Amino acid sequence: MRAGGRERHVLVIPDFEQDAYYADSLLGRSGIRFYAGAPLVTREGYGLGALCVLGTEPRTVGAFEMTALKDLAAMVMAQIELQHAFGRVDPLSGLPSRNQFLDDLADLAAEHPHETRLAVLVDLARPEQISAYARVMGPDRVDDLVREAARELRRLVGSERRVYHTAATQFAFLAPSDVRQDDYVRRLTDGHRSARQRSMTGMLLTSAIGVSVFKLSEMAPQDVLRSLYSAVQDARVA
């Protein structure tokens, strides 16, 4: 559920028996008299639950205790997000990973099963080109190439859309739901070509763009990714 922001109020019930709304709740019937709960809210504003303190005796909460509970909830939320990010954010590009792409596709299919969407995969270079480039320039320059490409793609796609780092030199994203395929792919291709022309490195490598149109309820996330890989290979031999 969307919480409408990172900040939400701590709920304090000093005495269940004196509260008409909560007196007959499951906690109230279990003998709980006191409750204080600080919400756990993601950066996107989604509520995950609350960090709760319960007691069998009624009591009040002072300002210091209220601040301590909020701080503890923030620490717990930070750990939850850190664990969630592990393996889901590529450490080199800082972009969401392949696993996150698959999870987001599954979530989107559950929410909008009848939608038809356009997915795009950008492959920066053939594997043999990357190997040769690393031998000549060193692996650090390959890392620089990937970071530069990530920045350019984020600029090209726009801040409102997620770009995913799905493989060493491959990036995927979903087009807006209302675009015309030919026009959108043409704009992407022109923008990507311009970015490569501004980069001396880009001129030395052969990039390719693959596109897959699919209905969310009819294609599994892994199959979408496989379709994109195939589309990239087809684009290279076209």
Side-chain angles (χ1 to χ4, degrees), residues 56-171:
T56 57
E57 298 291 336
R59 57 163 298 183
T60 58
V61 178
F64 176 80
E65 292 173 313
M66 186 77 76
T67 300
L69 183 59
K70 289 180 179 179
D71 290 345
L72 186 57
M75 293 171 59
V76 170
M77 194 64 241
Q79 287 298 315
I80 290 173
E81 292 186 327
L82 181 63
Q83 290 297 319
H84 181 71
F86 183 75
R88 297 181 183 277
V89 175
D90 186 271
L92 177 58
S93 65
L95 296 177
S97 67
R98 175 180 178 274
N99 288 339
Q100 189 64 60
F101 179 62
L102 296 175
D103 282 353
D104 286 352
L105 278 180
D107 290 344
L108 192 61
E111 295 173 3
H112 306 283
H114 304 299
E115 280 192 8
T116 297
R117 299 301 297 265
L118 172 69
V120 180
L121 185 70
V122 177
D123 189 9
L124 301 182
R126 298 177 184 274
E128 62 271 19
Q129 289 180 321
I130 292 295
S131 296
Y133 185 77
R135 286 197 301 271
V136 174
M137 303 298 295
D140 288 346
R141 287 296 299 151
V142 176
D143 291 348
D144 292 341
L145 168 68
V146 170
R147 294 190 190 97
E148 178 185 351
R151 289 193 297 269
E152 285 291 343
L153 281 173
R154 279 185 293 200
R155 181 193 61 79
L156 182 62
V157 172
S159 58
E160 71 281 1
R161 311 221 63 79
R162 260 188 165 183
V163 178
Y164 302 83
H165 193 171
T166 56
T169 59
Q170 294 178 343
F171 301 87

Side-chain angles (χ1 to χ4, degrees), residues 26-42:
L26 179 61
L27 287 177
R29 295 196 304 270
S30 301
I32 297 300
R33 297 286 298 276
F34 168 80
Y35 172 96
L40 300 174
V41 184
T42 69

Side-chain angles (χ1 to χ4, degrees), residues 5-33:
R6 187 86 185 204
E7 294 296 330
R8 294 177 68 193
H9 295 298
V10 174
L11 174 63
V12 177
I13 306 170
D15 187 352
F16 269 63
E17 289 188 0
Q18 302 302 316
D19 192 298
Y21 187 82
Y22 291 103
D24 196 41
S25 67
L26 179 61
L27 287 177
R29 295 196 304 270
S30 301
I32 297 300
R33 297 286 298 276

Side-chain angles (χ1 to χ4, degrees), residues 166-202:
T166 56
T169 59
Q170 294 178 343
F171 301 87
F173 53 91
L174 293 178
S177 57
D178 57 349
V179 299
R180 294 182 58 181
Q181 178 181 343
D182 292 343
D183 293 342
Y184 188 72
V185 173
R186 187 180 304 111
R187 291 199 304 270
L188 285 177
T189 303
D190 292 344
H192 185 58
R193 184 183 300 114
S194 296
R196 288 180 60 239
Q197 290 173 348
R198 292 194 299 270
S199 169
M200 182 64 69
T201 300

